């Protein structure tokens, strides 16, 4: 049955006939009708489609229904969308809808990605090769013979001393070298704390046990790791001030990203920082502080480590995966005194993960001042990229709100309700690899879901970044005032 005739002759000088029929939702019917019109040739390549607000009014459907249908067909290659020119029938004779619909997204992404805007990795070209090589040579030349024997599970004393001084100066951490245990990164730290061995052959017990409170948005990999260790995670809602720590009840520990909430952005409010430490004291619990990108701040005063409020109730975990490279498998735990023995027992008698020579090189890099110089240089580079991203969105997608850009290596783009999934598909079509905000949402949270994209700006090379932003803007859903 014919449901609607769409007349927009006053806009493009012709009539468009769409028949919405068949099973499923109106969105599915609209997608079928538009595909048929293009496939049959009734809509020739280059034909401009009506603005989605107008089409929605004519069809008697929600604007989001039309916007999502347009975005789906853009992702499949039937249509194209450009700022200022509206949505048009693609010039391609054979769209790639079959590839998009039949391949798994990760496979398609791996074969077609031109621009990597996924969060989590720094600019690989920025690795300080000369400084690292110089530190490595000095460390190797000065290393005592014992370095080439079995490694101390606590880590080299040179690195622990360098980290104690650096973290005190740069992050406000209060500790001593004997409270620091070297690991291979954040995931390794979690395995040691909750698994009692971390896969490294340790025979110790389990330093911490669940249930563990976590932020409602966070890395799914960490939740999966904890679940594999039998740890139940309890999600805490988030708002503009960070995690709702007032929701903490009978958990034994809480994992937070207080300097820059991952991935939504923003620091934990000062009152909540104090409140979570008070909770830990009252409950005999512990706070795990994921200090994943504390070095990279841009538009706000430095936020010190939560650990400084109570070194006996907070475990700070950091690494060089953002500041240097994830290829340098080095991280650290700054521990309350009562946990040091258990963690070392869990690690085992010999260092099985973190290269001793890399530890010595990092210690020299820090002590020589090269690490600080590198961080300052990269901070300026990432700030420029952040500014270019914000400027591109302001020019080409002013209806898209961007948040979480005061620090770190990623931003969150807030999208109109119901458009995240199609925007991710459109990004794949544009050759852009990125993540939807839903990927990071805890499956058990009752916090309302918000559509968005998590866009990393650390990975692309300098020469490719402008093209990456152009492709990103081409994948975003149109605004209310746009012509599509």
């Amino acid at each position: 049955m014919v449901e609607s005739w769409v007349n927009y002759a006053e806009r493009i000088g012709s009539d468009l006939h769409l028949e919405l029929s068949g099973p499923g939702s109106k969105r599915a019917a609209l997608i079928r009708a538009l595909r048929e019109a293009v496939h049959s040739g009734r809509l020739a390549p280059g034909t401009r489609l009506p603005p989605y607000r107008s089409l929605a009014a004519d069809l008697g459907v929600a604007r989001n229904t039309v916007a999502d249908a347009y975005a789906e067909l853009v992702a499949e290659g039937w249509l194209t969308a450009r700022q200022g020119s509206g949505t048009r029938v693609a010039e391609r004779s054979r769209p790639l809808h079959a590839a998009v619909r039949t391949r798994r997204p990760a496979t398609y992404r791996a074969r077609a990605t031109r621009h990597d805007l996924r969060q989590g990795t720094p600019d690989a070209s920025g690795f300080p090769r000369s400084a690292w090589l110089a530190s490595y040579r000095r460390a190797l030349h000065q290393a005592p013979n014992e370095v080439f024997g079995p490694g101390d599970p606590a880590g080299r004393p040179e690195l622990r001393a360098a980290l104690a001084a650096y973290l005190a100066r740069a992050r406000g951490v209060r500790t001593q070298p004997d409270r620091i245990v070297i690991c291979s990164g954040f995931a390794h730290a979690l395995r040691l704390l909750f698994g009692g061995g971390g896969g490294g052959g340790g025979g110790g017990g389990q330093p911490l046990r669940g249930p563990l409170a976590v932020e409602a948005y966070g890395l799914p990999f960490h939740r999966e790791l904890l679940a594999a260790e039998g740890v139940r995670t309890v999600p805490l809602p988030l708002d503009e001030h960070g995690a709702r720590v007032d929701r903490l009840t009978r958990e034994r520990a809480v994992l937070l990203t207080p300097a820059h909430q991952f991935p939504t952005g923003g620091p934990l409010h000062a009152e909540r920082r104090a409140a979570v430490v008070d909770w830990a004291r009252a409950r005999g619990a512990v706070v795990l502080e994921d200090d994943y990108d504390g070095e990279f701040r841009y538009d706000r005063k430095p936020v010190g480590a939560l650990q400084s409020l109570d070194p006996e109730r907070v475990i700070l975990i950091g690494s060089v995966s953002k500041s240097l490279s994830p290829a340098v498998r080095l991280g650290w735990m700054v521990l309350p005194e009562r946990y040091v023995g258990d963690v070392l027992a869990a690690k085992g008698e010999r260092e099985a993960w973190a290269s001793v020579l890399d530890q010595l090189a990092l210690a020299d890099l820090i002590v020589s001042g090269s690490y600080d110089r590198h961080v300052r240089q990269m901070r300026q580079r990432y700030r420029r990229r952040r500014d270019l991203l914000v400027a591109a969105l302001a020019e080409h997608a002013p209806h898209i709100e961007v948040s979480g850009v005061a620090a770190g290596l990623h931003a969150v783009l807030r999208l109109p309700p119901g458009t995240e999934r199609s925007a991710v598909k459109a990004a794949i079509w544009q050759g852009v690899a990125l993540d939807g905000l839903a990927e990071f949402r805890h499956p058990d949270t009752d916090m309302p879901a918000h559509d968005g994209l998590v866009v990393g700006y650390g990975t692309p090379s300098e020469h490719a970044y402008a093209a990456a932003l152009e492709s990103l803007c081409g994948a975003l859903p149109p605004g209310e005032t746009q012509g599509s």
Side-chain angles (χ1 to χ4, degrees):
M1 182 182 70
V2 176
E3 184 173 294
S4 177
W5 283 80
V6 182
N7 187 319
Y8 61 111
E10 292 182 0
R11 301 182 185 92
I12 63 172
S14 60
D15 290 334
L16 174 62
H17 173 74
L18 290 178
E19 183 176 347
L20 303 188
S21 60
S25 64
K26 290 185 177 180
R27 171 186 174 278
L30 178 57
I31 290 174
R32 284 195 300 270
L34 287 169
R35 281 202 200 108
E36 189 279 330
V38 175
H39 184 71
S40 66
R42 292 197 299 112
L43 289 178
T47 300
R48 180 171 179 169
L49 299 184
Y52 70 85
R53 176 187 291 179
S54 301
L55 183 58
D58 289 338
L59 291 174
V61 300
R63 289 193 296 270
N64 283 343
T65 298
V66 179
D68 199 36
Y70 278 10
E72 173 79 15
L73 293 173
V74 167
E76 293 181 359
W78 296 94
L79 308 177
T80 61
R82 291 291 185 273
Q83 184 74 20
S85 64
T87 302
R88 296 177 182 272
V89 177
E91 297 291 342
R92 300 177 63 91
S93 59
R94 290 184 60 84
L96 296 181
H97 61 285
V100 174
R101 293 170 64 188
T102 59
R103 296 179 187 168
R104 295 178 60 188
T107 304
Y108 182 77
R109 174 183 294 173
R111 296 181 181 179
T113 296
R114 292 179 292 120
H115 306 296
D116 190 350
L117 294 180
R118 288 170 290 187
Q119 61 75 35
T121 56
D123 181 358
S125 68
F127 184 80
R129 301 186 187 205
S130 297
W132 180 261
L133 181 59
S135 288
Y136 205 97
R137 284 175 170 170
R138 280 194 299 268
L140 192 62
H141 179 71
Q142 299 170 4
N145 290 337
E146 66 174 29
V147 163
F148 302 97
D152 184 342
R156 285 299 304 178
E158 297 91 337
L159 178 56
R160 290 185 284 122
L163 283 170
Y166 171 78
L167 293 171
R169 170 172 53 82
R171 303 291 298 123
V173 169
R174 295 191 289 150
T175 193
Q176 298 296 326
D178 60 2
R179 303 282 190 93
I180 297 176
V181 174
I182 304 302
C183 57
S184 67
F186 188 84
H188 186 207
L190 284 184
R191 290 189 177 100
L192 289 171
L193 290 170
F194 289 96
Q206 190 176 1
L208 297 179
R209 298 182 183 277
L212 171 68
V214 298
E215 294 162 331
Y217 281 82
L219 277 175
F221 169 67
H222 292 163
R223 295 194 297 267
E224 293 163 3
L225 183 156
L226 291 162
E229 300 291 352
V231 178
R232 181 170 67 90
T233 56
V234 181
L236 294 176
L238 300 168
D239 61 20
E240 66 274 16
H241 299 305
R244 290 285 306 276
V245 298
D246 58 312
R247 298 285 189 90
L248 288 166
T249 55
R250 304 179 64 85
E251 295 82 15
R252 298 180 180 181
V254 58
L255 171 60
L256 300 173
T257 51
H260 184 222
Q261 201 287 319
F262 180 87
T264 62
L268 185 65
H269 192 276
E271 292 183 0
R272 295 187 183 179
R273 290 163 66 91
V276 73
V277 170
D278 290 342
W279 168 83
R281 290 170 179 162
R283 289 280 305 160
V286 65
V287 180
L288 276 64
E289 178 176 10
D290 182 359
D291 197 37
Y292 70 100
D293 65 357
E295 297 92 345
F296 297 116
R297 58 190 185 275
Y298 312 120
D299 295 336
R300 56 173 167 80
K301 294 181 180 180
V303 177
L306 181 67
Q307 187 268 1
S308 65
L309 297 183
D310 192 337
E312 295 304 319
R313 289 297 169 189
V314 180
I315 297 175
L316 180 138
I317 306 173
S319 77
V320 296
S321 64
K322 303 292 189 299
S323 58
L324 286 177
S325 167
V328 181
R329 302 302 305 157
L330 288 177
W332 50 86
M333 289 177 278
V334 180
L335 296 162
E337 183 177 13
R338 68 186 184 279
Y339 291 118
V340 174
D342 288 342
V343 170
L344 291 179
K347 230 186 161 195
E349 295 183 359
R350 298 186 178 188
E351 173 55 66
W353 291 84
S355 164
V356 170
L357 297 181
D358 283 352
Q359 291 182 51
L360 292 175
L362 178 58
D364 184 273
L365 197 74
I366 294 172
V367 173
S368 68
S370 295
Y371 184 76
D372 281 270
R373 288 190 291 274
H374 169 71
V375 167
R376 288 195 297 270
Q377 179 183 6
M378 298 308 294
R379 188 184 297 146
Q380 293 173 357
R381 178 180 298 188
Y382 295 140
R383 179 170 183 164
R384 288 194 299 270
R385 293 191 180 189
R386 187 280 312 264
D387 291 346
L388 289 172
L389 170 63
V390 173
L393 292 170
E395 179 179 359
H396 300 293
H399 58 289
I400 300 296
E401 176 189 352
V402 58
S403 62
V405 294
L409 305 182
H410 73 272
V412 174
L413 277 55
R414 303 287 184 175
L415 301 180
T419 62
E420 176 182 315
R421 186 176 177 183
S422 56
V424 172
K425 290 182 179 180
I428 294 173
W429 169 250
Q430 295 282 353
V432 178
L434 47 70
D435 297 296
L437 188 58
E439 294 293 323
F440 304 94
R441 188 171 186 266
H442 196 293
D444 297 331
T445 184
D446 58 1
M447 178 180 170
H450 299 284
D451 286 55
L453 300 175
V454 180
V455 177
Y457 46 83
T459 303
S461 60
E462 291 284 286
H463 72 274
Y465 188 56
L469 293 183
E470 181 180 358
S471 296
L472 169 66
C473 291
L476 297 175
E480 289 286 330
T481 60
Q482 303 300 316
S484 59

